[in-house]
Amino acid sequence: MLRRQLRHLPRAIHQTNTARSRLLNTAQNSQKKIYASQAQSAKSSAAVASSSSPSASSSKTSTSKNPTIQVGEDGSPHIPERPKSWLTHKVETSPAVRYWFMKITALLGYHSPKQRAGLRTFLLYERICAVTPDAERNFWQNECDLPPTFQSWFIITNLHFWMLTVRLRALPEPHGRFYVQFLLDHFFLDIEDRIRAILQPSIPPRDPYTFFTSFYINPNIPKDGKLKRGSRAPERLVTRQMKIFKEQWMGMGMWFDYGLVTNDMELASAVWRNLLGARGSQGIAYPDSNPPKFRRGVNLVGGAVENPEKIDLEKEQSRDDGSGVHDYPPDEIDKYVRYPELMLDIVIYMRREIARLEKISDEEIMEGGLEALTFGRIRPHVPKSQ
């Protein structure tokens, strides 16, 4: 009897693991749907708020579900108004519908601190963090020579994500924990959608979690509008990229935290490694060097990596496909002279914005307008046209 039961034990273990995996996938999908519904509710609320503001009424609206971010002449980013849903129209025009809508959402727990944090953090991420690459596009791409890739977009957004979480971690419990976690969830849901749009392109392009941006270029979208066979990357490569960006998020946050509590030299070194690509770390290529050294950051998302499953880092770092942060060639070594000034400007900007956010009250962080939370310019003394 015991031998017969042991014979069926491996099959029972396999069935248990399969059921556990299905349950975990179902829970993850349900959680993603909840976040998506929270984001859609936040988008509807943002549309209602922006429709009553003078800046939104004078700007050109868009009827697309996820519009493209626009940057005004003053350098301020603006997300065009999204079309209102039928429910938003009903709640705005009918007091009875609004009364019962608030009653039902209260019964479903949408007025709890945790749910309110999920809705609020979507606005904080979309309107405060994700717009920063486009707001300072000239500085990052022309002054810092960051290429127009998703990797560049990620590190800039991650920088402002970290500065905002420094303030959110100071919120009283449980709000601080809720706000940091939900902000992180929105960040990586947006990253996943953008990675899939690049590695697994579709015609027409799939809607991102937040908005379209022209800061980076998707090289996998064919100009003729026809996808070639084999143009879609396997799912394991998408998963691998998500793990890489998670490690980058953790590493940047750890070193920025360390620099914040120590001194400006440590903070500047973290900026040099994480934002400026650690240019010159293996030496500067002078014109008389033979052969001249060259190194670039390997960029899987949007780069021309040969055989991404078996990457030869030394081989990939020694060639330039225009996708990664690269060392300056011998005829541009004078650009290294600007590096101390660039690091100083970024460090001053980080400490200035963190000190400004520290002065904002907890109530304004959680319930106030977004104008007071918007990040300022990196070089406020430079004219906005430059």
Side-chain angles (χ1 to χ4, degrees):
M1 187 61 142
L2 179 61
R3 185 176 300 174
R4 184 181 304 172
Q5 293 178 353
L6 291 176
R7 187 188 310 166
H8 297 286
L9 183 59
R11 180 182 299 176
I13 294 175
H14 175 71
Q15 293 176 351
T16 303
N17 292 335
T18 302
R20 184 180 301 171
S21 300
R22 290 177 179 175
L23 181 61
L24 180 60
N25 292 334
T26 303
Q28 291 176 345
N29 293 333
S30 300
Q31 186 180 27
K32 187 170 182 179
K33 290 180 180 179
I34 291 173
Y35 291 152
S37 63
Q38 291 176 347
Q40 186 62 35
S41 300
K43 292 174 184 178
S44 300
S45 301
V48 174
S50 61
S51 63
S52 60
S53 63
S55 59
S57 61
S58 60
S59 61
K60 185 177 180 180
T61 59
S62 173
T63 58
S64 62
K65 182 179 178 181
N66 292 78
T68 302
I69 185 173
Q70 300 174 358
V71 180
E73 296 180 356
D74 58 349
S76 59
H78 172 67
I79 302 175
E81 178 186 351
R82 293 181 173 89
K84 299 179 183 179
S85 64
W86 66 270
L87 181 58
T88 303
H89 283 287
K90 284 290 185 181
V91 172
E92 287 181 341
T93 57
S94 175
V97 173
R98 179 179 178 84
Y99 172 81
W100 287 110
F101 176 80
M102 299 300 292
K103 284 288 186 181
I104 293 174
T105 54
L107 291 175
L108 294 176
Y110 279 94
H111 296 176
S112 64
K114 188 173 184 179
Q115 294 295 332
R116 291 174 66 88
L119 297 174
R120 176 69 172 177
T121 49
F122 176 80
L123 295 177
L124 294 178
Y125 169 72
E126 183 190 50
R127 304 299 176 99
I128 304 300
C129 298
V131 299
T132 52
D134 294 271
E136 293 280 359
R137 182 174 180 174
N138 179 68
F139 174 81
W140 295 113
Q141 293 187 355
N142 297 333
E143 297 293 330
C144 300
D145 292 316
L146 297 183
T149 60
F150 176 73
Q151 174 67 37
S152 300
W153 183 92
F154 168 80
I155 60 176
I156 298 169
T157 306
N158 193 21
L159 166 66
H160 295 85
F161 169 89
W162 170 79
M163 288 194 291
L164 184 58
T165 53
V166 170
R167 178 61 183 88
L168 296 181
R169 282 181 289 185
L171 293 175
E173 286 294 333
H175 302 290
R177 177 163 39 89
F178 290 159
Y179 270 69
V180 172
Q181 183 60 54
F182 277 116
L183 189 68
L184 180 63
D185 292 339
H186 293 309
F187 185 27
F188 273 90
L189 284 173
D190 193 23
I191 290 173
E192 182 180 0
D193 279 357
R194 295 179 184 274
I195 289 177
R196 292 186 183 278
I198 296 175
L199 297 181
Q200 298 176 344
S202 60
I203 301 296
R206 62 171 58 90
D207 287 335
Y209 187 65
T210 51
F211 51 79
F212 291 100
T213 176
S214 60
F215 182 87
Y216 62 88
I217 302 172
N218 188 347
N220 296 326
I221 296 295
K223 296 181 180 180
D224 57 1
K226 297 180 181 179
L227 292 176
K228 299 180 181 179
R229 177 177 294 182
S231 60
R232 292 175 58 87
E235 189 67 22
R236 62 179 179 274
L237 186 57
V238 177
T239 304
R240 181 179 182 181
Q241 278 301 121
M242 290 295 295
K243 292 181 180 178
I244 291 176
F245 283 116
K246 178 184 177 182
E247 293 175 356
Q248 292 184 11
W249 161 74
M250 295 177 63
M252 286 182 65
M254 180 184 67
W255 284 110
F256 284 154
D257 283 340
Y258 179 74
L260 182 65
V261 299
T262 52
N263 53 61
D264 289 347
M265 290 187 296
E266 294 293 343
L267 193 56
S269 66
V271 168
W272 173 64
R273 291 191 305 270
N274 295 279
L275 296 179
L276 302 179
R279 287 191 177 104
S281 60
Q282 297 182 5
I284 299 177
Y286 292 96
D288 56 350
S289 58
N290 188 24
K293 294 182 179 180
F294 180 85
R295 185 190 64 86
R296 72 171 180 92
V298 178
N299 180 32
L300 290 178
V301 181
V305 173
E306 297 176 356
N307 194 0
E309 297 297 324
K310 297 180 180 180
I311 299 176
D312 187 347
L313 289 178
E314 293 185 359
K315 176 182 177 181
E316 295 297 335
Q317 287 179 352
S318 61
R319 73 186 188 93
D320 183 19
D321 64 355
S323 68
V325 179
H326 58 79
D327 289 342
Y328 292 123
D331 57 341
E332 296 182 356
I333 59 174
D334 57 324
K335 291 185 177 181
Y336 284 111
V337 180
R338 298 197 320 237
Y339 257 49
E341 181 182 356
L342 283 174
M343 289 187 286
L344 177 62
D345 289 339
I346 297 175
V347 168
I348 293 176
Y349 167 72
M350 294 168 65
R351 292 200 178 275
R352 182 179 68 242
E353 290 299 312
I354 290 175
R356 181 184 62 83
L357 292 174
E358 184 181 2
K359 299 178 181 178
I360 301 177
S361 64
D362 295 340
E363 292 75 14
E364 194 169 0
I365 291 287
M366 296 186 290
E367 299 178 0
L370 300 178
E371 293 79 9
L373 303 177
T374 303
F375 288 104
R377 302 183 69 242
I378 299 178
R379 290 174 171 174
H381 57 282
V382 177
K384 295 182 179 181
S385 59
Q386 298 183 10

PDB file of all heavy atoms in Angstrom, residues 161-186:
ATOM      1  N   PHE A 161      12.190  59.701  -9.871  1.00  0.00           N
ATOM      2  CA  PHE A 161      11.458  58.754  -9.038  1.00  0.00           C
ATOM      3  C   PHE A 161      12.116  58.651  -7.664  1.00  0.00           C
ATOM      4  O   PHE A 161      11.437  58.671  -6.630  1.00  0.00           O
ATOM      5  CB  PHE A 161      11.414  57.388  -9.722  1.00  0.00           C
ATOM      6  CG  PHE A 161      10.909  56.278  -8.859  1.00  0.00           C
ATOM      7  CD1 PHE A 161       9.553  55.992  -8.801  1.00  0.00           C
ATOM      8  CD2 PHE A 161      11.780  55.510  -8.103  1.00  0.00           C
ATOM      9  CE1 PHE A 161       9.084  54.962  -7.990  1.00  0.00           C
ATOM     10  CE2 PHE A 161      11.326  54.481  -7.302  1.00  0.00           C
ATOM     11  CZ  PHE A 161       9.969  54.203  -7.248  1.00  0.00           C
ATOM     12  N   TRP A 162      13.441  58.562  -7.646  1.00  0.00           N
ATOM     13  CA  TRP A 162      14.151  58.454  -6.374  1.00  0.00           C
ATOM     14  C   TRP A 162      13.982  59.729  -5.548  1.00  0.00           C
ATOM     15  O   TRP A 162      13.746  59.660  -4.333  1.00  0.00           O
ATOM     16  CB  TRP A 162      15.636  58.185  -6.626  1.00  0.00           C
ATOM     17  CG  TRP A 162      16.459  58.293  -5.384  1.00  0.00           C
ATOM     18  CD1 TRP A 162      16.595  57.356  -4.398  1.00  0.00           C
ATOM     19  CD2 TRP A 162      17.245  59.411  -4.975  1.00  0.00           C
ATOM     20  NE1 TRP A 162      17.410  57.827  -3.395  1.00  0.00           N
ATOM     21  CE2 TRP A 162      17.827  59.085  -3.721  1.00  0.00           C
ATOM     22  CE3 TRP A 162      17.517  60.654  -5.539  1.00  0.00           C
ATOM     23  CZ2 TRP A 162      18.669  59.962  -3.044  1.00  0.00           C
ATOM     24  CZ3 TRP A 162      18.352  61.520  -4.863  1.00  0.00           C
ATOM     25  CH2 TRP A 162      18.918  61.176  -3.637  1.00  0.00           C
ATOM     26  N   MET A 163      14.108  60.890  -6.169  1.00  0.00           N
ATOM     27  CA  MET A 163      13.969  62.147  -5.418  1.00  0.00           C
ATOM     28  C   MET A 163      12.579  62.271  -4.810  1.00  0.00           C
ATOM     29  O   MET A 163      12.429  62.761  -3.684  1.00  0.00           O
ATOM     30  CB  MET A 163      14.264  63.333  -6.337  1.00  0.00           C
ATOM     31  CG  MET A 163      15.729  63.482  -6.685  1.00  0.00           C
ATOM     32  SD  MET A 163      16.145  65.096  -7.418  1.00  0.00           S
ATOM     33  CE  MET A 163      15.342  64.968  -9.001  1.00  0.00           C
ATOM     34  N   LEU A 164      11.561  61.820  -5.525  1.00  0.00           N
ATOM     35  CA  LEU A 164      10.208  61.885  -4.977  1.00  0.00           C
ATOM     36  C   LEU A 164      10.014  60.882  -3.853  1.00  0.00           C
ATOM     37  O   LEU A 164       9.364  61.190  -2.847  1.00  0.00           O
ATOM     38  CB  LEU A 164       9.188  61.641  -6.090  1.00  0.00           C
ATOM     39  CG  LEU A 164       7.714  61.776  -5.698  1.00  0.00           C
ATOM     40  CD1 LEU A 164       7.419  63.164  -5.134  1.00  0.00           C
ATOM     41  CD2 LEU A 164       6.811  61.482  -6.884  1.00  0.00           C
ATOM     42  N   THR A 165      10.583  59.685  -3.974  1.00  0.00           N
ATOM     43  CA  THR A 165      10.433  58.689  -2.911  1.00  0.00           C
ATOM     44  C   THR A 165      11.173  59.105  -1.644  1.00  0.00           C
ATOM     45  O   THR A 165      10.792  58.674  -0.553  1.00  0.00           O
ATOM     46  CB  THR A 165      10.948  57.317  -3.377  1.00  0.00           C
ATOM     47  OG1 THR A 165      12.291  57.438  -3.872  1.00  0.00           O
ATOM     48  CG2 THR A 165      10.061  56.737  -4.458  1.00  0.00           C
ATOM     49  N   VAL A 166      12.233  59.906  -1.776  1.00  0.00           N
ATOM     50  CA  VAL A 166      12.904  60.421  -0.573  1.00  0.00           C
ATOM     51  C   VAL A 166      11.904  61.190   0.289  1.00  0.00           C
ATOM     52  O   VAL A 166      11.892  61.066   1.516  1.00  0.00           O
ATOM     53  CB  VAL A 166      14.106  61.303  -0.957  1.00  0.00           C
ATOM     54  CG1 VAL A 166      14.658  62.038   0.263  1.00  0.00           C
ATOM     55  CG2 VAL A 166      15.207  60.462  -1.585  1.00  0.00           C
ATOM     56  N   ARG A 167      11.049  61.976  -0.358  1.00  0.00           N
ATOM     57  CA  ARG A 167      10.013  62.705   0.382  1.00  0.00           C
ATOM     58  C   ARG A 167       8.876  61.795   0.833  1.00  0.00           C
ATOM     59  O   ARG A 167       8.369  61.926   1.957  1.00  0.00           O
ATOM     60  CB  ARG A 167       9.453  63.830  -0.490  1.00  0.00           C
ATOM     61  CG  ARG A 167       8.323  64.627   0.165  1.00  0.00           C
ATOM     62  CD  ARG A 167       8.785  65.297   1.427  1.00  0.00           C
ATOM     63  NE  ARG A 167       7.722  66.003   2.118  1.00  0.00           N
ATOM     64  CZ  ARG A 167       6.912  65.446   3.021  1.00  0.00           C
ATOM     65  NH1 ARG A 167       7.066  64.166   3.343  1.00  0.00           N
ATOM     66  NH2 ARG A 167       5.993  66.172   3.610  1.00  0.00           N
ATOM     67  N   LEU A 168       8.474  60.846  -0.010  1.00  0.00           N
ATOM     68  CA  LEU A 168       7.351  59.973   0.334  1.00  0.00           C
ATOM     69  C   LEU A 168       7.687  59.051   1.506  1.00  0.00           C
ATOM     70  O   LEU A 168       6.802  58.675   2.273  1.00  0.00           O
ATOM     71  CB  LEU A 168       6.942  59.136  -0.882  1.00  0.00           C
ATOM     72  CG  LEU A 168       6.403  59.906  -2.097  1.00  0.00           C
ATOM     73  CD1 LEU A 168       6.011  58.938  -3.201  1.00  0.00           C
ATOM     74  CD2 LEU A 168       5.221  60.781  -1.704  1.00  0.00           C
ATOM     75  N   ARG A 169       8.951  58.696   1.648  1.00  0.00           N
ATOM     76  CA  ARG A 169       9.336  57.836   2.767  1.00  0.00           C
ATOM     77  C   ARG A 169       9.189  58.531   4.106  1.00  0.00           C
ATOM     78  O   ARG A 169       9.168  57.872   5.157  1.00  0.00           O
ATOM     79  CB  ARG A 169      10.784  57.365   2.585  1.00  0.00           C
ATOM     80  CG  ARG A 169      10.935  56.239   1.584  1.00  0.00           C
ATOM     81  CD  ARG A 169      12.375  55.786   1.442  1.00  0.00           C
ATOM     82  NE  ARG A 169      13.199  56.765   0.759  1.00  0.00           N
ATOM     83  CZ  ARG A 169      14.471  56.559   0.419  1.00  0.00           C
ATOM     84  NH1 ARG A 169      15.052  55.406   0.701  1.00  0.00           N
ATOM     85  NH2 ARG A 169      15.157  57.489  -0.207  1.00  0.00           N
ATOM     86  N   ALA A 170       9.087  59.861   4.084  1.00  0.00           N
ATOM     87  CA  ALA A 170       8.921  60.619   5.325  1.00  0.00           C
ATOM     88  C   ALA A 170       7.456  60.780   5.714  1.00  0.00           C
ATOM     89  O   ALA A 170       7.170  61.351   6.767  1.00  0.00           O
ATOM     90  CB  ALA A 170       9.570  61.996   5.194  1.00  0.00           C
ATOM     91  N   LEU A 171       6.522  60.283   4.899  1.00  0.00           N
ATOM     92  CA  LEU A 171       5.106  60.365   5.248  1.00  0.00           C
ATOM     93  C   LEU A 171       4.812  59.463   6.442  1.00  0.00           C
ATOM     94  O   LEU A 171       5.458  58.431   6.625  1.00  0.00           O
ATOM     95  CB  LEU A 171       4.233  59.945   4.059  1.00  0.00           C
ATOM     96  CG  LEU A 171       4.243  60.847   2.824  1.00  0.00           C
ATOM     97  CD1 LEU A 171       3.423  60.212   1.715  1.00  0.00           C
ATOM     98  CD2 LEU A 171       3.692  62.230   3.153  1.00  0.00           C
ATOM     99  N   PRO A 172       3.832  59.817   7.261  1.00  0.00           N
ATOM    100  CA  PRO A 172       3.494  58.970   8.413  1.00  0.00           C
ATOM    101  C   PRO A 172       2.954  57.620   7.956  1.00  0.00           C
ATOM    102  O   PRO A 172       2.356  57.500   6.880  1.00  0.00           O
ATOM    103  CB  PRO A 172       2.437  59.787   9.158  1.00  0.00           C
ATOM    104  CG  PRO A 172       1.847  60.695   8.125  1.00  0.00           C
ATOM    105  CD  PRO A 172       2.961  61.018   7.183  1.00  0.00           C
ATOM    106  N   GLU A 173       3.154  56.613   8.783  1.00  0.00           N
ATOM    107  CA  GLU A 173       2.635  55.280   8.460  1.00  0.00           C
ATOM    108  C   GLU A 173       1.114  55.245   8.620  1.00  0.00           C
ATOM    109  O   GLU A 173       0.575  55.915   9.500  1.00  0.00           O
ATOM    110  CB  GLU A 173       3.281  54.241   9.372  1.00  0.00           C
ATOM    111  CG  GLU A 173       4.722  53.944   9.013  1.00  0.00           C
ATOM    112  CD  GLU A 173       4.856  53.261   7.657  1.00  0.00           C
ATOM    113  OE1 GLU A 173       3.894  52.569   7.241  1.00  0.00           O
ATOM    114  OE2 GLU A 173       5.883  53.451   7.005  1.00  0.00           O
ATOM    115  N   PRO A 174       0.422  54.446   7.781  1.00  0.00           N
ATOM    116  CA  PRO A 174       0.965  53.587   6.724  1.00  0.00           C
ATOM    117  C   PRO A 174       1.081  54.283   5.381  1.00  0.00           C
ATOM    118  O   PRO A 174       1.349  53.635   4.376  1.00  0.00           O
ATOM    119  CB  PRO A 174      -0.081  52.473   6.655  1.00  0.00           C
ATOM    120  CG  PRO A 174      -1.370  53.170   6.930  1.00  0.00           C
ATOM    121  CD  PRO A 174      -1.049  54.255   7.927  1.00  0.00           C
ATOM    122  N   HIS A 175       0.860  55.603   5.334  1.00  0.00           N
ATOM    123  CA  HIS A 175       0.836  56.310   4.055  1.00  0.00           C
ATOM    124  C   HIS A 175       2.176  56.221   3.334  1.00  0.00           C
ATOM    125  O   HIS A 175       2.220  56.034   2.109  1.00  0.00           O
ATOM    126  CB  HIS A 175       0.446  57.772   4.277  1.00  0.00           C
ATOM    127  CG  HIS A 175      -0.885  57.942   4.938  1.00  0.00           C
ATOM    128  ND1 HIS A 175      -2.073  57.657   4.312  1.00  0.00           N
ATOM    129  CD2 HIS A 175      -1.221  58.354   6.196  1.00  0.00           C
ATOM    130  CE1 HIS A 175      -3.084  57.901   5.132  1.00  0.00           C
ATOM    131  NE2 HIS A 175      -2.590  58.318   6.282  1.00  0.00           N
ATOM    132  N   GLY A 176       3.287  56.376   4.060  1.00  0.00           N
ATOM    133  CA  GLY A 176       4.587  56.331   3.422  1.00  0.00           C
ATOM    134  C   GLY A 176       4.832  55.015   2.721  1.00  0.00           C
ATOM    135  O   GLY A 176       5.307  54.973   1.586  1.00  0.00           O
ATOM    136  N   ARG A 177       4.494  53.916   3.395  1.00  0.00           N
ATOM    137  CA  ARG A 177       4.677  52.595   2.782  1.00  0.00           C
ATOM    138  C   ARG A 177       3.782  52.412   1.562  1.00  0.00           C
ATOM    139  O   ARG A 177       4.209  51.884   0.531  1.00  0.00           O
ATOM    140  CB  ARG A 177       4.397  51.527   3.835  1.00  0.00           C
ATOM    141  CG  ARG A 177       4.478  50.103   3.346  1.00  0.00           C
ATOM    142  CD  ARG A 177       4.611  49.154   4.529  1.00  0.00           C
ATOM    143  NE  ARG A 177       3.770  49.584   5.646  1.00  0.00           N
ATOM    144  CZ  ARG A 177       2.491  49.205   5.813  1.00  0.00           C
ATOM    145  NH1 ARG A 177       1.922  48.425   4.912  1.00  0.00           N
ATOM    146  NH2 ARG A 177       1.808  49.611   6.863  1.00  0.00           N
ATOM    147  N   PHE A 178       2.525  52.832   1.667  1.00  0.00           N
ATOM    148  CA  PHE A 178       1.595  52.704   0.542  1.00  0.00           C
ATOM    149  C   PHE A 178       2.068  53.531  -0.662  1.00  0.00           C
ATOM    150  O   PHE A 178       2.072  53.050  -1.799  1.00  0.00           O
ATOM    151  CB  PHE A 178       0.197  53.156   0.961  1.00  0.00           C
ATOM    152  CG  PHE A 178      -0.486  52.225   1.922  1.00  0.00           C
ATOM    153  CD1 PHE A 178      -1.522  52.663   2.724  1.00  0.00           C
ATOM    154  CD2 PHE A 178      -0.084  50.898   2.030  1.00  0.00           C
ATOM    155  CE1 PHE A 178      -2.151  51.810   3.607  1.00  0.00           C
ATOM    156  CE2 PHE A 178      -0.705  50.033   2.920  1.00  0.00           C
ATOM    157  CZ  PHE A 178      -1.736  50.488   3.704  1.00  0.00           C
ATOM    158  N   TYR A 179       2.471  54.759  -0.408  1.00  0.00           N
ATOM    159  CA  TYR A 179       2.828  55.654  -1.504  1.00  0.00           C
ATOM    160  C   TYR A 179       4.085  55.179  -2.232  1.00  0.00           C
ATOM    161  O   TYR A 179       4.142  55.207  -3.469  1.00  0.00           O
ATOM    162  CB  TYR A 179       3.028  57.083  -0.980  1.00  0.00           C
ATOM    163  CG  TYR A 179       1.760  57.898  -0.991  1.00  0.00           C
ATOM    164  CD1 TYR A 179       0.716  57.616  -0.124  1.00  0.00           C
ATOM    165  CD2 TYR A 179       1.583  58.945  -1.882  1.00  0.00           C
ATOM    166  CE1 TYR A 179      -0.461  58.352  -0.130  1.00  0.00           C
ATOM    167  CE2 TYR A 179       0.418  59.696  -1.908  1.00  0.00           C
ATOM    168  CZ  TYR A 179      -0.600  59.390  -1.032  1.00  0.00           C
ATOM    169  OH  TYR A 179      -1.764  60.117  -1.057  1.00  0.00           O
ATOM    170  N   VAL A 180       5.087  54.744  -1.493  1.00  0.00           N
ATOM    171  CA  VAL A 180       6.317  54.278  -2.133  1.00  0.00           C
ATOM    172  C   VAL A 180       6.048  53.016  -2.953  1.00  0.00           C
ATOM    173  O   VAL A 180       6.511  52.884  -4.092  1.00  0.00           O
ATOM    174  CB  VAL A 180       7.407  54.029  -1.079  1.00  0.00           C
ATOM    175  CG1 VAL A 180       8.624  53.358  -1.716  1.00  0.00           C
ATOM    176  CG2 VAL A 180       7.830  55.338  -0.427  1.00  0.00           C
ATOM    177  N   GLN A 181       5.278  52.077  -2.397  1.00  0.00           N
ATOM    178  CA  GLN A 181       5.012  50.824  -3.099  1.00  0.00           C
ATOM    179  C   GLN A 181       4.177  51.041  -4.348  1.00  0.00           C
ATOM    180  O   GLN A 181       4.485  50.493  -5.419  1.00  0.00           O
ATOM    181  CB  GLN A 181       4.307  49.842  -2.161  1.00  0.00           C
ATOM    182  CG  GLN A 181       4.048  48.476  -2.785  1.00  0.00           C
ATOM    183  CD  GLN A 181       5.325  47.794  -3.222  1.00  0.00           C
ATOM    184  OE1 GLN A 181       6.250  47.629  -2.427  1.00  0.00           O
ATOM    185  NE2 GLN A 181       5.407  47.409  -4.496  1.00  0.00           N
ATOM    186  N   PHE A 182       3.134  51.849  -4.252  1.00  0.00           N
ATOM    187  CA  PHE A 182       2.281  52.081  -5.416  1.00  0.00           C
ATOM    188  C   PHE A 182       3.019  52.885  -6.494  1.00  0.00           C
ATOM    189  O   PHE A 182       2.832  52.638  -7.686  1.00  0.00           O
ATOM    190  CB  PHE A 182       0.999  52.802  -5.008  1.00  0.00           C
ATOM    191  CG  PHE A 182      -0.066  51.872  -4.490  1.00  0.00           C
ATOM    192  CD1 PHE A 182      -0.500  51.954  -3.178  1.00  0.00           C
ATOM    193  CD2 PHE A 182      -0.633  50.914  -5.309  1.00  0.00           C
ATOM    194  CE1 PHE A 182      -1.475  51.099  -2.697  1.00  0.00           C
ATOM    195  CE2 PHE A 182      -1.611  50.058  -4.848  1.00  0.00           C
ATOM    196  CZ  PHE A 182      -2.040  50.143  -3.534  1.00  0.00           C
ATOM    197  N   LEU A 183       3.839  53.829  -6.082  1.00  0.00           N
ATOM    198  CA  LEU A 183       4.620  54.579  -7.065  1.00  0.00           C
ATOM    199  C   LEU A 183       5.573  53.654  -7.807  1.00  0.00           C
ATOM    200  O   LEU A 183       5.754  53.770  -9.027  1.00  0.00           O
ATOM    201  CB  LEU A 183       5.396  55.704  -6.377  1.00  0.00           C
ATOM    202  CG  LEU A 183       6.099  56.700  -7.306  1.00  0.00           C
ATOM    203  CD1 LEU A 183       5.085  57.533  -8.070  1.00  0.00           C
ATOM    204  CD2 LEU A 183       7.029  57.620  -6.503  1.00  0.00           C
ATOM    205  N   LEU A 184       6.173  52.720  -7.090  1.00  0.00           N
ATOM    206  CA  LEU A 184       7.056  51.738  -7.717  1.00  0.00           C
ATOM    207  C   LEU A 184       6.282  50.829  -8.664  1.00  0.00           C
ATOM    208  O   LEU A 184       6.765  50.484  -9.755  1.00  0.00           O
ATOM    209  CB  LEU A 184       7.759  50.913  -6.631  1.00  0.00           C
ATOM    210  CG  LEU A 184       8.732  49.833  -7.117  1.00  0.00           C
ATOM    211  CD1 LEU A 184       9.887  50.458  -7.882  1.00  0.00           C
ATOM    212  CD2 LEU A 184       9.251  49.021  -5.936  1.00  0.00           C
ATOM    213  N   ASP A 185       5.076  50.434  -8.272  1.00  0.00           N
ATOM    214  CA  ASP A 185       4.256  49.587  -9.139  1.00  0.00           C
ATOM    215  C   ASP A 185       3.921  50.298 -10.450  1.00  0.00           C
ATOM    216  O   ASP A 185       4.026  49.713 -11.536  1.00  0.00           O
ATOM    217  CB  ASP A 185       2.965  49.179  -8.420  1.00  0.00           C
ATOM    218  CG  ASP A 185       3.236  48.244  -7.261  1.00  0.00           C
ATOM    219  OD1 ASP A 185       4.299  47.603  -7.245  1.00  0.00           O
ATOM    220  OD2 ASP A 185       2.382  48.157  -6.350  1.00  0.00           O
ATOM    221  N   HIS A 186       3.510  51.555 -10.358  1.00  0.00           N
ATOM    222  CA  HIS A 186       3.193  52.308 -11.575  1.00  0.00           C
ATOM    223  C   HIS A 186       4.434  52.464 -12.456  1.00  0.00           C
ATOM    224  O   HIS A 186       4.337  52.390 -13.693  1.00  0.00           O
ATOM    225  CB  HIS A 186       2.637  53.682 -11.208  1.00  0.00           C
ATOM    226  CG  HIS A 186       1.305  53.633 -10.534  1.00  0.00           C
ATOM    227  ND1 HIS A 186       0.237  52.927 -11.035  1.00  0.00           N
ATOM    228  CD2 HIS A 186       0.857  54.216  -9.382  1.00  0.00           C
ATOM    229  CE1 HIS A 186      -0.816  53.074 -10.234  1.00  0.00           C
ATOM    230  NE2 HIS A 186      -0.451  53.842  -9.231  1.00  0.00           N
TER     231      HIS A 186
END
